[in-house]
């Protein structure tokens, strides 16, 4: 079974190049001002220009308005929109307006949380299962929090999906074995500090993916 990976929250040419050279299928650019990984339009354009055609550029948003989406799509030459905390009706409007594929994030702590995935049927192209962050957290993800992966065992997924939340080079094999994920997403697990990607950790994660 071929496993592919998205490296999310990239913000420098060096770390972007490490992700691409290591075989990442997707690279994530964050457009959410409170995040330490957020990109300006100029930086997004600079990075997007380095991405080859076989790697997809994913823009990461938290319930964005149309103006932000327009700026980010133009600057980042985005191929996919990843939406956090964006209800299905709003997501459908975004898809109709932009014509781009959507990944809708579902925050998971308990089995009951998985039911939200079905609300995106006919709207999202993929569900991103991420760990639910602690109450009062400023960010919806990228905090290194993982959920109980056994919750996905035997779950009938309503849509194609990917796994996120607390992944790193050490626990990747366990996560894939337990969930059957074929696409994995990492951010804080390849950082030396919040928002600071580490080239060595990116390479190690992608090597772990390739070794599966």
């Amino acid at each position: 079974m071929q496993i592919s990976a998205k490296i999310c929250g990239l913000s420098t040419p060096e770390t972007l190049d490490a992700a691409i050279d290591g075989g990442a299928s997707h690279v994530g650019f964050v457009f959410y001002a409170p995040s330490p990984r957020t990109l300006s339009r100029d930086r997004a354009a600079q990075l997007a220009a380095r991405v080859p055609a076989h790697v997809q550029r994913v823009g990461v948003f938290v319930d964005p308005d149309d103006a932000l989406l327009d700026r980010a799509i133009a600057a980042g030459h985005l191929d996919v929109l990843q939406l956090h905390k964006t209800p299905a009706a709003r997501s459908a409007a975004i898809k109709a307006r932009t014509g781009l594929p959507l990944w809708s994030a579902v925050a998971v702590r308990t089995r009951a949380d998985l039911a939200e995935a079905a609300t995106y049927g006919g709207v999202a192209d993929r569900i991103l299962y991420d760990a639910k962050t602690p109450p009062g957290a400023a960010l919806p993800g990228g905090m290194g929090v993982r959920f109980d992966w056994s919750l996905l065992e035997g779950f009938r997924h309503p849509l194609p999906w990917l796994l996120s939340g607390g992944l790193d080079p050490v626990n990747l094999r366990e996560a894939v074995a337990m969930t059957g994920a074929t696409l994995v997403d990492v951010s804080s697990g390849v950082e030396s500090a919040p928002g600071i990607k580490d080239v060595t950790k990116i390479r190690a994660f992608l090597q772990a993916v390739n070794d599966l």
Side-chain angles (χ1 to χ4, degrees), residues 44-211:
Q46 175 194 16
L47 295 176
R50 303 177 75 89
V51 181
H54 69 277
V55 177
Q56 292 209 303
R57 295 170 290 247
V58 181
V60 181
F61 303 88
V62 179
D63 199 15
D65 61 25
D66 289 343
L68 173 59
L69 286 165
D70 290 347
R71 291 194 302 269
I73 291 167
H77 296 280
L78 301 179
D79 301 300
V80 179
L81 306 180
Q82 178 180 317
L83 304 178
H84 292 255
K85 296 189 175 181
T86 309
R90 171 60 181 153
S91 298
I94 289 171
K95 185 168 187 177
R97 187 172 183 276
T98 65
L100 290 174
L102 298 188
W103 294 358
S104 293
V106 170
V108 180
R109 183 176 298 126
T110 69
R111 180 86 176 189
D113 293 326
L114 298 176
E116 184 185 351
T119 69
Y120 292 102
V123 177
D125 296 270
R126 283 185 185 271
I127 298 296
L128 180 144
Y129 296 108
D130 199 0
K132 185 173 287 186
T133 52
L139 304 175
M143 299 179 67
V145 179
R146 60 178 275 187
F147 65 94
D148 179 0
W149 297 319
S150 69
L151 296 174
L152 293 178
E153 290 185 297
F155 180 65
R156 293 177 61 86
H157 298 280
L159 290 163
W161 59 281
L162 67 156
L163 182 66
S164 187
L167 296 174
D168 60 39
V170 175
N171 65 26
L172 177 66
R173 182 174 293 275
E174 177 192 0
V176 169
M178 190 172 291
T179 65
T182 57
L183 177 56
V184 294
D185 179 28
V186 66
S187 184
S188 60
V190 291
E191 291 181 341
S192 56
I196 308 300
K197 289 289 182 289
D198 185 300
V199 166
T200 300
K201 291 184 178 183
I202 290 172
R203 290 173 178 156
F205 186 85
L206 292 171
Q207 186 60 55
V209 171
N210 293 334
D211 288 344

Side-chain angles (χ1 to χ4, degrees), residues 30-31 37-47 71-72 75-76:
V30 175
F31 299 94
R37 306 168 185 93
T38 195
L39 298 179
S40 66
R41 275 185 286 182
D42 287 347
R43 177 51 66 91
Q46 175 194 16
L47 295 176
R71 291 194 302 269

